[in-house]
């Protein structure tokens, strides 16, 4: 739980806990009609593996591929698709 996010939640939403702040933030984004998932912006689930590979290529170009594995990227994109 990021302390900067907690500070943001406290200042912007007047929330004392991370969980309360996150709920308020998500609610605010929904009120603004901001998509919350890749599915909501019509990215097909079949494109996730291509997104993983393209992301992996970019990480290698930037020489930061040691931060994530392909499996971790896959989990991130699967989560981003369903949430």
């Amino acid at each position: 739980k990021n302390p900067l996010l907690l500070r943001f939640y406290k200042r912007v939403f007047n929330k004392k806990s991370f969980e309360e702040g996150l709920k308020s933030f998500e609610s605010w984004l929904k009120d603004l009609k901001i998509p919350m998932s890749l599915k909501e912006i019509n990215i097909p689930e079949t494109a996730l593996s291509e997104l993983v590979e393209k992301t992996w290529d970019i990480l290698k170009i930037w020489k930061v591929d040691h931060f994530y594995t392909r499996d971790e990227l896959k989990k991130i994109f699967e989560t981003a698709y369903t949430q």
Side-chain angles (χ1 to χ4, degrees):
K1 296 180 183 172
N2 188 318
L4 291 176
L5 280 176
L6 180 56
R7 194 165 108 200
F8 170 77
Y9 296 152
K10 284 180 181 179
R11 288 184 177 183
V12 175
F13 300 107
N14 197 30
K15 300 298 179 181
K16 295 182 182 185
S17 76
F18 185 87
E19 291 76 17
E20 288 178 334
L22 180 59
K23 284 181 185 177
S24 293
F25 183 63
E26 288 175 343
S27 176
W28 179 62
L29 292 176
K30 286 178 184 175
D31 287 346
L32 294 174
K33 307 229 184 302
I34 294 175
M36 300 290 289
S37 71
L38 295 175
K39 187 176 186 177
E40 288 181 54
I41 57 171
N42 298 318
I43 303 290
E45 192 170 10
T46 56
L48 296 182
S49 60
E50 183 179 352
L51 288 170
V52 168
E53 290 308 311
K54 298 232 181 253
T55 303
W56 182 253
D57 291 342
I58 291 168
L59 292 177
K60 288 191 317 189
I61 289 168
W62 292 345
K63 297 183 180 2
V64 292
D65 52 313
H66 57 279
F67 286 113
Y68 297 99
T69 66
R70 277 188 172 96
D71 286 339
E72 290 170 325
L73 292 175
K74 182 180 177 198
K75 287 177 188 173
I76 290 167
F77 280 107
E78 287 171 348
T79 300
Y81 182 79
T82 58
Q83 285 195 347

